[in-house]
């Protein structure tokens, strides 16, 4: 496997470093280096919000200060992830060129201020970004200390300015060719919303069109493509100077302004920023949510990723700023590594003295010394990463995958029925994911464009919108012996949100699952039914599909209501494989039991011989010779974990049969793969 950062092919430890806020304090800049070395920091991200220091006046570039910083870091064995500064525009630029400021859904142009709020289309902003990016690349892209480009920061949001809307119309012309085709795909005869001129098309807006689902989807797709186009401009500018230096951009948690899947082939490295809301007590739900998102990031390119930001202590934008309980920092960091991260990076190295993030956690506090709890926690992680360095070359190849598709999520949110008070797509994906996570089974989290070959089990909850040829891939997967689990609301609409005709699940999935879903009952909050299977009864709620078996074997039936005794859970033999259909939203216990049975039947690889104790996460990450077992106790209570044979405490310790983890304790154990 190719290293993520070939110039420094190691696990990275460090984070955002903003020396531009301290240029008048050379003593502090000196001290920073000393403290970084003490904390075993080997890599920092520089220049993310430095544009005003780099180009204080239009066309006047000041790069010497940055050169000094990068040189000094390098001399001291600390590598630089260099940012392009497009995430925050200088005040002079914003005031001089209103065009670069974003326009809101209410068609009001932003005033100067904030960040991450530029127009992605503005030719003027693009020109300015290109100019500064080129200057940075010419000066630093061949610097031996610079290992990666950090393009902008957390691309996000949408602009409704006339330039963006005009670009949207061009995008639509390319997609549909004719207005007739667009009108047909958007079903605009409904309410007489037929377009007779391209200029009549506007972005979906609260006081305009919101009910044309094809329009809503296409607008989001356009916004994704537009931000990627902007990102490519940045990427191609820096790559023109040195094509070898890899690029990344930092993604966010459960962020669906854009479809991150579309960035997959445009970036060399995937990275993301993780800020879990830990509390006291049991944190296993939060841990499972973060685990899923780590797996989303790793699965994008099916290679290790970078944790680009996390807080070493507290987060200041959350409702409360909880300090991490003892042990939690290491547990959180090891969780990221266990799921495939090749870095632990923080926001930020030194706390800002003023402005809105002055109380956000940082490695170095306003106090300035290293004798703090946070600094000790960070140092311990640095030492651990050095010991784990061989992992940077490992691959993770799970045998199970869950489909989680952003565009499907957009369409479900917009579906208008059968449950407008909460369709709960993300929660359902999370529920199924957690049932395997609890067993210590590694998973990929892929979207409808993903490749299904190589998995034994594919779980596809609420696969409502079919796109990217997924129906064919699912058929082939099962035909060749795979096991598929699908649910209610599968295969209702095509990629433009037009309903499949002729019975759901559409597009041939009816044959695959061997069921016909005639209708779906949306239940009010608090209403319940039951699913009875194999002598057991499980509670179901929220969504109950009324299905007819068409070749599938009925495994479970409804317990109540006018559809009592009708099928609620089925399995269909298809080719060499099996397709399960769960017709109703079940309680967790159902998923736990189902996935235990499937894990056993399919002999899915587990991190331990049996389930880890409740709240303990168990993951494996392997190199050719060594298997690392990661255990993180998120339960808030002490737990004993029995270990499979052949594991030693890490690094290089004694063989263990059992290990005791204190609340939020974590452990890494080492075994041989031979
Ligand atoms: C984001 C940003 C950072 C910083 C942190 C604070 O992830 O990228 O610049 O604002 O949040 O949590
Ligand atoms: Zn715009």
């Amino acid at each position: 496997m190719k290293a993520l950062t070939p110039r420094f092919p190691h696990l990275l430890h460090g984070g955002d470093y903003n020396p531009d806020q301290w240029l008048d304090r050379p003593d502090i800049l000196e001290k920073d280096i000393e403290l970084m070395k003490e904390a075993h920091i080997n890599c920092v991200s520089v220049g993310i919000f430095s544009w005003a220091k780099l180009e204080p006046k239009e066309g006047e570039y000041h790069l010497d200060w940055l050169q000094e910083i990068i040189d000094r870091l390098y001399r001291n064995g600390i590598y630089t992830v260099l940012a392009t500064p497009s995430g925050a525009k200088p005040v002079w630029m914003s005031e001089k060129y209103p065009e670069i400021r974003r326009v809101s859904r209410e068609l009001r142009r932003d005033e100067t201020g904030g960040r991450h709020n530029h127009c992605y289309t503005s030719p003027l902003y693009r020109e300015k970004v290109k100019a500064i990016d080129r200057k940075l690349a010419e000066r630093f892209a061949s610097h031996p200390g610079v290992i990666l480009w950090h393009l902008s920061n957390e691309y996000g949001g949408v602009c409704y300015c006339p330039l963006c809307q005009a670009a949207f119309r061009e995008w639509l012309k390319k997609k549909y060719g004719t207005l007739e085709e667009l009108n047909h795909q958007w079903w605009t005869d409904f309410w007489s919303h037929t377009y007779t001129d391209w200029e009549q098309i506007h972005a979906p807006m609260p006081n305009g069109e919101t009910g044309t689902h094809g329009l809503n989807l296409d607008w989001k797709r356009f916004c994704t493509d537009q931000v990627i186009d902007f990102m490519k401009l940045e990427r191609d500018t820096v790559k023109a100077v040195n094509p070898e230096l890899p690029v990344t951009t930092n993604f966010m948690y459960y962020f669906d302004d854009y479809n991150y899947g579309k960035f997959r082939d445009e970036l060399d490295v995937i990275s993301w920023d993780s800020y879990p809301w830990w509390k006291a007590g049991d944190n296993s739900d939060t841990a499972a949510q973060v685990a899923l998102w780590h797996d989303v990031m790793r699965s994008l390119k099916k290679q290790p990723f970078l944790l680009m930001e996390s807080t070493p202590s507290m987060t200041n934008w959350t409702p409360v700023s909880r300090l991490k309980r003892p042990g939690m920092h290491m547990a959180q960091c090891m969780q990221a590594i266990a799921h495939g991260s090749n870095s632990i990076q923080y926001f930020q190295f030194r706390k800002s003295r003023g402005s809105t993030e002055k109380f956000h956690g940082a490695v170095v506090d306003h106090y300035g010394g290293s004798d703090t709890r946070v600094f000790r926690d960070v140092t311990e992680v640095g030492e651990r990463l050095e010991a784990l360095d061989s992992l940077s070359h490992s691959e993770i190849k799970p045998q199970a995958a869950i489909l989680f598709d952003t565009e499907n999520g957009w369409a479900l949110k917009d579906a208008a029925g059968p449950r407008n008070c909460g369709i709960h797509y993300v929660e359902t994906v999370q529920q199924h994911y957690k049932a395997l996570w609890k067993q210590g089974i590694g998973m990929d989290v892929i979207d409808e464009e993903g490749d299904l070959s190589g998995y034994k089990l594919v779980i596809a909850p609420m696969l409502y919108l079919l796109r990217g040829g997924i129906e064919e891939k699912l058929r082939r997967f099962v035909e060749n012996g795979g096991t598929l689990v699908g649910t209610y609301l599968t295969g209702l609409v095509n990629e433009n949100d037009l309903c499949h005709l002729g019975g759901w699940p559409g597009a041939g999935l009816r044959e695959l699952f061997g069921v016909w879903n005639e209708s779906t009952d949306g239940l009010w909050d608090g209403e319940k039914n039951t699913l009875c299977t194999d002598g057991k009864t499980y509670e179901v709620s929220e969504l109950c599909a009324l299905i007819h078996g068409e070749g599938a074997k009925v495994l479970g039936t409804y317990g109540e209501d006018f559809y009592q005794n009708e099928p609620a859970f089925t399995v269909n033999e298809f080719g060499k494989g099996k397709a399960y259909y769960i017709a109703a939203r079940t309680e967790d216990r159902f998923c736990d039991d189902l996935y235990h049975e499937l894990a056993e039947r399919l002999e899915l690889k587990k991190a331990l011989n049996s389930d880890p104790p409740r709240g303990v996460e168990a993951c494996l990450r392997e190199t050719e010779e060594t298997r690392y077992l990661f255990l993180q106790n998120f339960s808030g209570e002490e737990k004993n974990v029995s270990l499979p044979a052949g594991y030693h405490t890490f690094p290089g310790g004694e063989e263990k049969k059992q290990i005791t983890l204190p609340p939020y304790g974590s452990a890494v154990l080492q075994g041989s793969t031979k």
Side-chain angles (χ1 to χ4, degrees), residues 9-211:
H10 298 282
L11 295 183
L12 308 178
H13 185 228
D16 284 19
Y17 178 44
N18 296 307
D20 39 305
Q21 295 172 18
W22 302 96
L23 292 181
D24 62 344
R25 291 293 305 266
D27 55 322
I28 284 193
L29 297 179
E30 278 296 333
K31 181 83 181 162
D32 283 345
I33 300 284
E34 206 182 288
L35 290 168
M36 283 177 196
K37 287 166 129 176
E38 194 180 335
H40 294 250
I41 280 176
N42 59 16
C43 169
V44 290
S45 305
V46 181
I48 301 172
F49 299 113
S50 301
W51 203 340
K53 277 276 185 325
L54 295 167
E55 191 183 355
K57 280 198 192 133
E58 189 159 20
E60 203 185 294
Y61 297 99
H62 292 203
L63 272 56
D64 291 346
W65 67 267
L66 184 55
Q67 175 94 47
E68 263 176 49
I69 296 281
I70 294 176
D71 286 347
R72 181 175 13 202
L73 286 164
Y74 182 57
R75 276 198 309 273
N76 286 281
I78 301 157
Y79 289 79
T80 295
V81 171
L82 184 57
T84 64
S86 63
K89 47 205 175 336
V91 167
W92 63 257
M93 192 188 293
S94 174
E95 286 290 302
K96 182 164 180 195
Y97 302 114
E99 170 195 304
I100 70 175
R101 286 186 245 138
R102 206 169 269 182
V103 169
S104 70
R105 266 153 61 99
E106 293 73 30
L107 298 186
R108 277 183 54 205
R109 194 174 289 279
D110 288 352
E111 297 298 327
T112 292
R115 64 171 178 175
H116 305 161
N117 55 1
H118 52 271
C119 169
Y120 289 117
T121 307
S122 159
L124 234 158
Y125 195 58
R126 287 179 173 223
E127 187 192 305
K128 296 286 170 207
V129 168
K130 199 170 166 177
I132 183 78
D133 287 3
R134 190 187 302 121
K135 288 278 173 207
L136 286 170
E138 283 166 358
R139 184 80 168 253
F140 301 112
S142 299
H143 193 294
V146 175
I147 59 170
L148 179 70
W149 284 108
H150 181 299
L151 298 177
S152 203
N153 193 64
E154 296 189 337
Y155 289 118
V158 170
C159 175
Y160 291 78
C161 80
L163 293 167
C164 285
Q165 301 226 26
F168 179 45
R169 287 179 206 110
E170 289 311 309
W171 185 94
L172 291 169
K173 280 182 200 163
K174 247 196 235 151
K175 175 166 180 183
Y176 294 108
T178 65
L179 269 182
E180 289 67 38
E181 183 59 16
L182 174 141
N183 279 312
H184 175 67
Q185 293 298 334
W186 288 4
W187 212 251
T188 55
D189 289 339
F190 184 77
W191 288 352
S192 262
H193 288 184
T194 316
Y195 297 99
T196 55
D197 192 312
W198 293 98
E199 291 305 307
Q200 296 161 354
I201 302 174
H202 304 281
M205 274 176 278
N207 62 342
E209 183 61 273
T210 56

Side-chain angles (χ1 to χ4, degrees), residues 566-614:
E566 297 286 322
F569 177 41
T570 59
V571 65
N572 194 38
E573 311 263 344
F574 189 84
K576 291 191 220 140
K578 286 182 195 265
Y580 289 83
Y581 192 90
I582 309 168
R585 177 163 292 153
T586 66
E587 60 176 310
D588 291 352
R589 205 163 49 89
F590 175 86
C591 291
D592 291 344
D593 289 351
L594 171 66
Y595 292 117
H596 261 114
E597 199 185 304
L598 291 180
E600 206 168 298
R601 181 164 71 70
L602 301 171
E603 293 177 355
L604 296 180
K605 185 161 157 188
K606 294 186 174 187
L608 304 174
N609 292 335
S610 55
D611 284 6
R614 224 189 102 69

Side-chain angles (χ1 to χ4, degrees), residues 16 48-49 115-116 153-154 250-252 273-275 309 311 315-317 347 357 360:
D16 284 19
I48 301 172
F49 299 113
R115 64 171 178 175
H116 305 161
N153 193 64
E154 296 189 337
N250 48 341
F251 289 154
M252 291 174 270
D273 304 342
S274 175
Y275 293 93
E309 290 180 28
T311 181
T315 308
N316 80 326
W317 46 264
F347 179 84
E357 290 181 331
H360 194 287

Side-chain angles (χ1 to χ4, degrees), residues 476-494:
R476 238 177 300 129
F477 169 72
V478 180
E479 232 161 39
N480 292 330
T483 297
L484 169 68
V485 178
T487 72
Y488 52 92
L489 291 186
T490 292
L492 266 61
V493 301
N494 73 7

